[in-house]
């Protein structure tokens, strides 16, 4: 069954070298394999494949989330590396980011940013365990 196998995610990029710089230099992920048109990254044991394609895709939703222990600290670290955070106001989801780009919900906090290719990434902190 699939509950006993590793899971990986696959993301598109229109410029694999730009994506490499973003994920390696800005996010600090380890590149395990790098080819002319794709790379495999390691994020604490989770594999992320990024492949180059000629046209960008348009996902208007979160494609990958990083579970963090201190969202404010992570936001500050990423902002210092040039990451720009998104702000949202979605009344139908009862979700609105504050001035620090964080949406505070009942049991968690979240903040969103885009990678170099326009993919929406999320930081998530669970408040109640």
């Amino acid at each position: 069954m699939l509950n006993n196998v590793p899971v990986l995610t696959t993301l598109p990029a229109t410029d694999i070298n730009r994506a490499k710089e973003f994920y390696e230099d800005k996010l600090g992920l380890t590149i395990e394999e790098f080819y002319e048109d794709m790379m495999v990254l390691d994020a604490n044991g989770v594999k992320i494949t990024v492949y180059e394609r000629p046209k960008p895709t348009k996902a208007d939703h979160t494609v990958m989330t990083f579970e963090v222990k201190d969202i404010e600290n992570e936001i500050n670290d990423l902002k210092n590396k040039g990451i720009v955070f998104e702000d949202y106001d979605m009344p139908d989801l009862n979700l609105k980011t504050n001035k620090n780009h964080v949406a505070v919900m009942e049991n968690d906090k979240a903040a969103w940013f885009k990678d170099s290719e326009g993919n929406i990434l999320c930081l998530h902190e669970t408040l109640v365990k």
Side-chain angles (χ1 to χ4, degrees):
M1 289 313 252
L2 295 179
N3 64 335
N4 291 322
V5 298
V7 175
L8 64 99
T9 191
T10 304
L11 301 173
T14 55
D15 185 328
I16 196 70
N17 291 307
R18 180 177 59 208
K20 176 184 183 289
E21 180 181 322
F22 178 86
Y23 282 96
E24 187 175 42
D25 297 343
K26 305 264 187 206
L27 300 189
L29 302 183
T30 302
I31 296 177
E32 291 193 340
E33 300 174 49
F34 187 81
Y35 305 100
E36 183 178 311
D37 61 353
M38 78 162 271
M39 66 179 158
V40 178
L41 303 146
D42 179 73
N44 195 32
V46 174
K47 304 297 182 213
I48 303 164
T49 300
V50 180
Y51 70 98
E52 189 169 82
R53 53 177 286 135
K55 291 182 174 181
T57 60
K58 178 62 178 142
D60 61 355
H61 61 276
T62 303
V63 297
M64 187 167 56
T65 299
F66 294 91
E67 187 69 32
V68 299
K69 293 183 193 255
D70 183 345
I71 198 166
E72 285 84 4
N73 187 49
E74 294 293 339
I75 289 170
N76 288 334
D77 286 350
L78 290 172
K79 281 175 127 181
N80 287 335
K81 293 180 179 181
I83 301 295
V84 176
F85 281 82
E86 302 293 311
D87 287 310
Y88 295 107
D89 186 357
M90 301 176 172
D92 54 325
L93 297 176
N94 197 25
L95 184 140
K96 184 174 181 171
T97 52
N98 62 27
K99 65 179 178 145
N100 297 322
H101 314 290
V102 176
V104 180
M105 290 142 303
E106 187 175 334
N107 297 319
D108 47 4
K109 296 179 185 179
W112 294 267
F113 61 99
K114 293 181 181 175
D115 72 2
S116 61
E117 308 308 299
N119 297 305
I120 301 171
L121 310 180
C122 178
L123 299 179
H124 179 263
E125 178 185 344
T126 301
L127 299 175
V128 177
K129 297 237 177 201

